Amino acid sequence: MLPPHDPAAFTDPLAAALWTARARREALPREAWPDVDMARARVVAADLYAGLEAAGLHRVGAKGAATDAPTQARFGATEPLIAPIFSNVLIDDGATVLRSDFTAPSVEAEIGMRVTASGVVLVPCIEIADSRFAGGPPTIAYLAADFATQGGMIFGEPASQPTGAVGVSVSVDGEPVKEASRD
């Protein structure tokens, strides 16, 4: 899912290690990178996103994570994590997704928003979160540094203007595995 990129082009060695690990679908031992705080995570993330742009990939949106207080507390965050979404993580709705394309995938059912000139439209979204860091509980800094853990994003068709709850469900081989809904 990542195009070739020269690791020497990165300013932080963690960015080079993350790019290479993602390209090879390998995990990084978190204990080898003990000093990742939000300041460093922002530098690493900027390096990685610049690498995507240099490879000709396009920014197609943004992701918001840890948007509520309980989730922020779980990840040691004091604010939401906002990260760009690039075209390399888009997966067509209905496509076959292979587990072997990821390192440590976790499926998340999401409600997305498409912003257009005429307003905001809700869209079902399935995110395949995929962290390179192995070991230890996740913190917001490690999530931010690692492409905000975006492994894959599947967006469905926009919903008509909902009047109640909007839901999304994820099935694997016809068996439901995740669901989410919001008013």
Side-chain angles (χ1 to χ4, degrees), residues 10-70:
F10 295 114
T11 59
D12 188 298
L14 178 54
L18 284 166
W19 188 282
T20 301
R22 184 167 287 239
R24 294 179 181 166
R25 298 177 190 97
E26 298 173 344
L28 292 177
R30 191 166 129 182
E31 63 271 6
W33 305 96
D35 58 346
V36 179
D37 58 12
M38 276 309 290
R40 185 173 186 196
R42 287 183 183 100
V43 169
V44 169
D47 245 3
L48 293 172
Y49 297 132
L52 294 175
E53 288 176 345
L57 297 171
H58 303 285
R59 183 177 171 167
V60 297
K63 166 188 172 172
T67 57
D68 58 28

